[in-house]
Amino acid sequence: MANFTTENILDYLDKAAGNLDFPGFDNMNYDMVTARLTGFRNDRDWALTIEQVVSWYSLNGVEPVLTISGFGSRLLINEPFVTYFPVKYPLGELEDNQEEIPKSIFITIRDEQFTINSNEIERNPHLSDYIDFDLIIHLVNRYRARILASEIEFREIVPAELSQIIQLDNWHHPDVYNSNSEFYLPSRTKSMQMIAEVLVSGKPELYQPCEENNVDWRKWIIK
């Protein structure tokens, strides 16, 4: 029997949201492109990670960044989230002048090189004048699994003795930055309630989608 309850987990997540440590997908500092949720447990401890691949505005331009927020009774990090930079491409060289955008864009994802044909990148001119954000979306659509966290990165956050019990590419994420929303707190969403039940019981089948999935950048992006 687990040493923790669903109420323990949901209360922890609600407090994180109250401290602005629980990730919201409409963050003003960056744009979420894709996300993934992973739960870990044993009978003594639990952990939950939420990954986001985001376009982060830096001095170099729009940069693809992997952020991993960690929650749990035993973690290996003290800060609310950690960041990784799995994708490299020539920042600042992709200007809005179509003549200056090279036909071939050379990308490095975790030390493996890829060549992207810029003509294949779907443009969203209403989002940005530059190709950077569209390029990140294109990369996520093609190489999402390579960009998301590796086992080594997970284990820099979650102890090895906690086993992975659930992993979701889509779920109903709380609207934590909107206090007027019915789903403002994690505990008010059925998805998070069921995820907590899975972590307590060790039974992944207890999670059954029942709310509208909203892990899609189109639902959250602020432009």
Side-chain angles (χ1 to χ4, degrees):
M1 179 178 295
N3 291 337
F4 47 90
T5 67
T6 56
E7 290 76 14
N8 295 150
I9 295 173
L10 293 173
D11 183 59
Y12 183 109
L13 299 180
D14 282 354
K15 288 180 179 177
N19 293 331
L20 300 181
D21 291 334
F22 194 90
F25 289 164
D26 54 347
N27 193 298
M28 293 294 294
N29 297 312
Y30 52 72
D31 293 322
M32 185 273 292
V33 179
T34 194
R36 183 170 69 175
L37 178 150
T38 309
F40 306 81
R41 74 173 304 279
N42 59 25
D43 285 343
R44 297 181 304 278
D45 293 293
W46 66 275
L48 187 69
T49 62
I50 298 178
E51 302 164 67
Q52 297 180 80
V53 178
V54 305
S55 62
W56 207 313
Y57 296 86
S58 69
L59 294 177
N60 295 323
V62 180
E63 189 165 17
V65 178
L66 170 65
T67 74
I68 309 178
S69 300
F71 314 93
S73 58
R74 183 161 176 252
L75 298 174
L76 302 178
I77 57 173
N78 296 318
E79 57 271 15
F81 66 90
V82 294
T83 58
Y84 298 93
F85 302 86
V87 180
K88 301 294 182 184
Y89 64 81
L91 295 170
E93 296 182 13
L94 306 179
E95 301 297 338
D96 191 34
N97 186 334
Q98 186 64 37
E99 294 181 355
E100 296 182 10
I101 299 175
K103 181 177 180 181
S104 297
I105 303 173
F106 300 101
I107 306 292
T108 301
I109 303 176
R110 299 189 181 279
D111 298 325
E112 185 173 358
Q113 291 189 342
F114 300 90
T115 301
I116 305 298
N117 186 334
S118 61
N119 293 328
E120 297 178 356
I121 300 173
E122 181 180 354
R123 298 304 309 273
N124 293 281
H126 62 290
L127 300 180
S128 174
D129 293 334
Y130 299 96
I131 197 174
D132 303 71
F133 184 71
D134 297 328
L135 174 58
I136 298 173
I137 295 172
H138 181 80
L139 293 176
V140 164
N141 289 339
R142 294 187 63 176
Y143 305 111
R144 183 175 183 273
R146 293 177 181 269
I147 297 173
L148 288 169
S150 66
E151 180 66 16
I152 292 175
E153 289 163 347
F154 275 137
R155 295 308 173 180
E156 291 175 344
I157 301 169
V158 179
E161 58 266 28
L162 273 66
S163 300
Q164 180 178 313
I165 188 66
I166 188 172
Q167 188 168 77
L168 302 175
D169 293 314
N170 217 342
W171 67 94
H172 184 87
H173 194 76
D175 191 4
V176 295
Y177 296 144
N178 181 9
S179 59
N180 294 321
S181 170
E182 178 185 356
F183 305 109
Y184 164 59
L185 293 174
S187 64
R188 294 184 183 177
T189 65
K190 186 62 177 176
S191 290
M192 288 297 163
Q193 294 169 13
M194 289 188 292
I195 290 165
E197 291 172 1
V198 169
L199 294 174
V200 171
S201 67
K203 299 178 180 179
E205 64 271 16
L206 292 182
Y207 179 84
Q208 296 293 328
C210 64
E211 298 167 304
E212 179 186 3
N213 290 333
N214 62 2
V215 185
D216 187 322
W217 63 269
R218 298 171 187 84
K219 296 180 180 292
W220 297 95
I221 193 166
I222 299 173
K223 292 294 179 185

